[in-house]
C-alpha cells in the first residue's frame, strides 16, 4: 500500500509514543538530532530506508507495518510489554526486551525468506480462571503440570533437554543475557511463533527451571502476548502458578515417591496390613512391621541424588520433598542449612558431574567446568543468515546487521564467510587467525 509522507510521519509518532520513548531517546539511538526526529514526525523531513528499518526495530515492529492498510500503534510488542511494571520502570529491561523482540522477528523473517517450516504449535492452551489466591494458583500449576506430562507421555521420567522438548512443541528457545532480576521472558506473538528466553547469566539448573516457567505462561497466559518474569515479582499470582507448574513438571510427585521408595525410605516407622482372604467369613489376617529407628529419615545425599536425576537445584528438591509430604518444616530447615554448607562438596565427593558444566544441556558429564555454554539459538540464527545471504535473499549489509545482533564482530563474520566458502579471503582482504 502507498501512503503519504504525512501519514507515515503520523504512524512513526504514534509508534514511538506507544513504545514509551522520547524524541531525544530515538535521536540518540539513530545518531540524529532531536529536531531531525521531530521533523520526521511532522512530515517535513523524508525518512531513508535505513532509518525506517532502525525505527521499526526500535519500536518492536515489522517494517511492513508502517505501510499496511491499517495501523494500530498498540499492536507493537514493545507497547504490550510497557504494561509490565518491570519494563516501564527499568530502562535496561526495556532495552533487552526490544533486543529479544528484534531477534525473534529477524529469526521469523529469515525462516520466511528461506521457506523454513517453523513447525506447528503443539503446545495446548489450558483455560483456567484467574486465581484468587496463592493456594489456587499452586493447585492450578500442579494440575496442569500433571496433565501436560500425561499428554507428552513423560511418565515420571526426567525431562532431559528442556530446550529440545519445548522446540518439539513449536516453541523457540534462546539463552540470552538479561538483567539479573529477570529470569526469563516469553513472546506469544503469532507472527513470530512462540519464543521463550532464559537468562544466560544464571546457573544451568535455574535456566532449566526458567524455560519451564516460561512454558507455563504459554499454556496459561496466551492472551497476554508477552510476559517478563522477575524475581522481585515472585508473589504475583501468575508467577506463583508458573513456579508451581515448573516444580511439578520438572520433578513429578510420582517420581519423587518412586525414587525415595527405591532407596528403602518414605515408609512410616510402623506399618500394619490387613490381608483379606475372600472367605465366606470375610476375615483378615493382620501383619505388622517396624522400620529400624532412623532408617526412614531423608538425608542430604538422598536429595542431592534426586536433584541430579531431574536436573534441578538441590534447594528446589528439598522444597519438593516438603511439599509432597516426605519431610516436615523442621527437617526442611535442617537440610537447607546442610545444603548451604555442604551441598556442593557432597555433590563433588559423590562424583557427580557439575550442572554448571552444562551436563543436562550438552547430554554428557564433565567435572572440568570448561564446557562452553549451549548456543543453539545463536548457531541456528547465524546459519539461517548465511543461507539467506548465499541465496541472495539478503545483502551483505543486512548480514552484518544480523551478525551484530548476536554479537558477532565484523572480523568474526569475515572469518565465518571465508570458512563457509561464501567469500574469497584474498578478494575481500579477510584476515585469518594468526595473520
Amino acid at each position: 500500500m502507498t501512503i503519504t509522507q504525512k501519514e507515515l510521519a503520523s504512524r512513526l509518532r504514534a509508534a514511538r509514543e506507544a513504545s514509551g520513548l522520547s524524541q531525544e531517546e530515538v535521536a540518540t539511538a539513530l545518531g540524529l538530532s532531536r529536531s531531525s526526529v521531530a521533523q520526521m514526525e511532522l512530515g517535513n523531513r523524508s525518512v531513508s530506508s535505513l532509518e525506517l528499518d532502525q525505527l521499526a526495530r526500535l519500536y518492536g515492529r515489522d517494517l511492513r507495518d508502517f505501510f499496511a492498510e491499517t495501523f494500530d500503534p498498540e499492536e507493537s510488542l514493545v507497547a504490550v510489554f510497557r504494561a509490565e511494571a518491570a519494563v516501564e520502570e527499568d530502562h535496561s529491561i526495556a532495552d533487552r526486551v526490544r533486543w529479544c523482540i528484534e531477534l525473534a522477528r529477524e529469526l521469523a523473517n529469515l525462516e520466511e525468506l528461506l521457506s523454513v517450516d517453523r513447525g506447528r504449535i503443539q503446545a495446548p492452551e489450558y483455560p483456567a480462571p484467574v486465581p484468587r489466591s496463592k493456594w489456587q494458583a499452586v493447585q492450578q500449576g500442579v494440575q496442569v503440570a500433571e496433565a501436560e506430562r500425561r499428554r507428552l507421555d513423560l511418565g515420571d521420567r526426567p525431562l532431559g533437554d528442556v530446550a529440545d522438548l519445548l522446540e518439539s512443541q513449536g516453541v523457540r528457545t534462546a539463552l540470552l543475557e538479561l538483567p539479573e532480576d529477570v529470569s526469563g521472558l516469553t513472546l506469544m506473538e503469532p507472527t513470530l511463533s512462540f519464543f521463550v528466553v532464559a537468562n544466560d547469566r544464571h546457573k544451568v539448573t535455574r535456566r532449566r527451571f526458567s524455560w519451564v516457567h516460561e512454558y507455563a505462561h504459554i499454556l496459561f497466559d496466551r492472551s497476554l502476548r508477552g510476559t517478563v518474569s522477575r524475581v522481585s515479582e515472585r508473589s504475583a499470582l501468575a508467577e506463583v502458578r508458573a513456579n508451581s507448574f515448573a516444580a511439578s513438571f520438572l520433578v513429578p510427585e510420582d517420581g519423587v515417591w518412586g525414587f525415595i521408595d527405591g532407596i528403602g525410605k518414605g515408609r512410616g516407622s510402623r506399618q500394619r496390613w490387613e490381608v483379606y482372604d475372600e472367605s465366606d467369613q470375610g476375615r483378615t489376617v493382620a501383619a505388622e512391621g517396624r522400620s529400624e529407628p532412623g532408617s526412614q529419615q531423608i538425608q542430604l545425599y538422598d536429595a542431592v541424588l534426586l536433584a541430579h536425576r531431574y536436573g534441578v537445584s538441590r534447594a528446589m528438591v528439598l522444597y519438593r520433598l516438603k511439599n509432597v509430604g516426605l519431610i516436615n518444616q523442621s527437617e526442611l530447615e535442617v537440610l537447607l542449612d546442610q545444603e548451604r554448607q555442604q551441598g556442593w562438596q557432597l555433590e563433588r565427593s559423590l562424583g557427580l558431574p557439575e550442572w554448571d558444566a552444562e551436563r543436562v544441556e550438552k547430554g554428557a558429564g564433565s567435572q572440568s567446568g570448561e564446557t562452553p555454554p549451549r548456543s543453539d539459538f545463536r548457531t541456528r540464527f547465524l546459519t539461517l543468515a548465511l543461507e539467506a545471504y548465499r541465496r541472495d535473499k539478503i545483502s551483505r549489509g543486512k548480514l552484518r546487521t544480523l551478525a551484530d545482533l548476536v554479537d558477532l564482530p565484523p572480523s568474526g563474520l569475515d572469518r565465518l564467510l571465508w570458512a563457509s566458502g561464501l567469500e574469497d579471503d584474498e578478494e575481500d582482504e579477510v584476515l585469518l587467525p594468526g595473520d
Side-chain angles (χ1 to χ4, degrees):
M1 176 183 175
T2 302
I3 63 172
T4 65
Q5 185 166 313
K6 286 289 185 183
E7 176 60 23
L8 177 60
S10 174
R11 292 182 176 190
L12 290 175
R13 180 183 181 87
R16 175 182 60 76
E17 292 175 344
S19 299
L21 294 170
S22 66
Q23 289 183 338
E24 190 68 45
E25 288 170 322
V26 172
T28 300
L30 269 62
L32 301 172
S33 66
R34 191 200 65 78
S35 61
S36 294
V37 175
Q39 291 303 307
M40 285 182 189
E41 294 183 354
L42 290 170
N44 297 332
R45 178 189 183 282
S46 61
V47 188
S48 70
S49 58
L50 176 59
E51 289 169 340
L52 200 55
D53 183 58
Q54 291 174 315
L55 289 168
R57 293 163 60 188
L58 191 60
Y59 302 153
R61 308 195 70 100
D62 190 300
L63 180 63
R64 293 168 291 190
D65 290 354
F66 293 123
F67 302 98
E69 186 173 346
T70 60
F71 181 80
D72 182 355
E74 297 301 324
E75 280 295 304
S76 163
L77 273 176
V78 171
V80 170
F81 274 103
R82 280 193 67 211
E84 295 271 355
V87 177
E88 187 71 15
E89 297 169 3
D90 192 327
H91 286 294
S92 67
I93 294 177
D95 289 342
R96 299 316 273 180
V97 166
R98 287 190 179 88
W99 179 53
C100 290
I101 292 172
E102 186 178 351
L103 278 171
R105 195 174 301 285
E106 292 291 7
L107 176 63
N109 289 340
L110 286 170
E111 289 174 330
E112 183 179 346
L113 282 173
L114 299 174
S115 301
V116 174
D117 182 5
R118 284 187 253 168
R120 188 168 59 89
I121 297 297
Q122 304 288 334
E125 185 174 7
Y126 289 86
V130 176
R132 297 186 299 275
S133 66
K134 291 177 183 176
W135 180 250
Q136 187 179 29
V138 167
Q139 294 305 303
Q140 288 178 354
V142 170
Q143 291 163 10
V144 170
E146 292 173 349
E148 189 65 358
R149 269 191 164 265
R150 287 194 298 271
R151 184 184 74 86
L152 295 170
D153 195 26
L154 292 172
D156 61 8
R157 302 188 304 276
L159 295 186
D161 192 317
V162 175
D164 280 353
L165 176 64
L166 268 58
E167 293 276 352
S168 74
Q169 300 306 300
V171 179
R172 293 286 181 259
T173 62
L175 288 174
L176 302 174
E177 191 172 295
L178 301 172
E180 182 61 32
D181 185 47
V182 178
S183 58
L185 62 83
T186 301
L187 305 180
M188 292 176 277
E189 171 62 52
T191 61
L192 303 181
S193 185
F194 293 161
F195 188 70
V196 298
V197 179
N199 194 336
D200 196 26
R201 294 184 180 186
H202 294 164
K203 296 171 65 173
V204 65
T205 49
R206 183 173 176 185
R207 297 199 302 251
R208 282 166 57 79
F209 189 94
S210 295
W211 263 331
V212 179
H213 175 106
E214 299 307 321
Y215 186 55
H217 285 308
I218 288 174
L219 302 179
F220 282 112
D221 306 314
R222 201 164 297 179
S223 62
L224 297 181
R225 296 179 62 202
T227 61
V228 175
S229 298
R230 298 180 74 192
V231 177
S232 55
E233 297 294 326
R234 61 165 62 93
S235 295
L237 296 182
E239 295 300 290
V240 170
R241 181 168 64 184
N243 281 334
S244 173
F245 172 90
S248 298
F249 194 66
L250 280 162
V251 187
E253 183 171 346
D254 287 347
V256 175
W257 280 96
F259 180 88
I260 296 301
D261 183 66
I263 57 176
K265 295 187 177 183
R267 309 182 184 98
S269 60
R270 181 176 180 179
Q271 301 170 73
R272 179 181 173 87
W273 287 77
E274 297 285 344
V275 183
Y276 184 69
D277 65 1
E278 281 288 1
S279 65
D280 292 339
Q281 290 80 16
R283 294 176 180 173
T284 63
V285 176
E288 286 192 1
R290 288 178 180 272
S291 300
E292 183 180 339
S295 64
Q296 300 302 303
Q297 188 174 7
I298 303 295
Q299 302 296 313
L300 180 58
Y301 47 76
D302 300 326
V304 167
L305 290 172
L306 182 58
H308 198 264
R309 170 173 169 75
Y310 282 101
V312 298
S313 69
R314 298 182 295 269
M316 185 202 139
V317 153
L318 291 175
Y319 280 102
R320 199 79 182 99
L321 289 167
K322 162 71 166 52
N323 288 336
V324 303
L326 278 162
I327 59 176
N328 58 35
Q329 182 63 35
S330 62
E331 290 169 328
L332 171 64
E333 291 172 2
V334 170
L335 288 168
L336 282 171
D337 186 56
Q338 291 178 357
E339 190 280 324
R340 284 189 288 268
Q341 297 183 48
Q342 303 157 224
W344 178 79
Q345 293 92 332
L346 180 56
E347 195 171 79
R348 291 294 299 272
S349 298
L350 288 170
L352 300 175
E354 298 174 47
W355 291 118
D356 282 348
E358 316 295 329
R359 178 180 181 276
V360 174
E361 294 179 0
K362 286 292 183 182
S366 169
Q367 294 184 9
S368 67
E370 296 177 356
T371 307
R374 177 190 177 109
S375 55
D376 285 2
F377 173 81
R378 185 174 187 270
T379 301
R380 173 177 167 76
F381 188 89
L382 285 171
T383 301
L384 290 174
L386 283 174
E387 180 64 13
Y389 176 67
R390 184 186 73 83
R391 296 193 208 172
D392 293 325
K393 301 287 186 180
I394 61 174
S395 67
R396 174 65 179 266
K398 181 65 174 179
L399 179 61
R400 283 196 178 278
T401 298
L402 295 177
D404 182 63
L405 196 56
V406 290
D407 298 323
L408 183 67
S411 60
L413 177 60
D414 290 341
R415 293 188 182 97
L416 183 60
L417 286 167
W418 176 84
S420 302
L422 296 179
E423 289 191 358
D424 182 79
D425 60 314
E426 292 183 0
E427 180 182 345
D428 291 280
E429 297 182 349
V430 176
L431 292 177
L432 300 179
D435 287 355

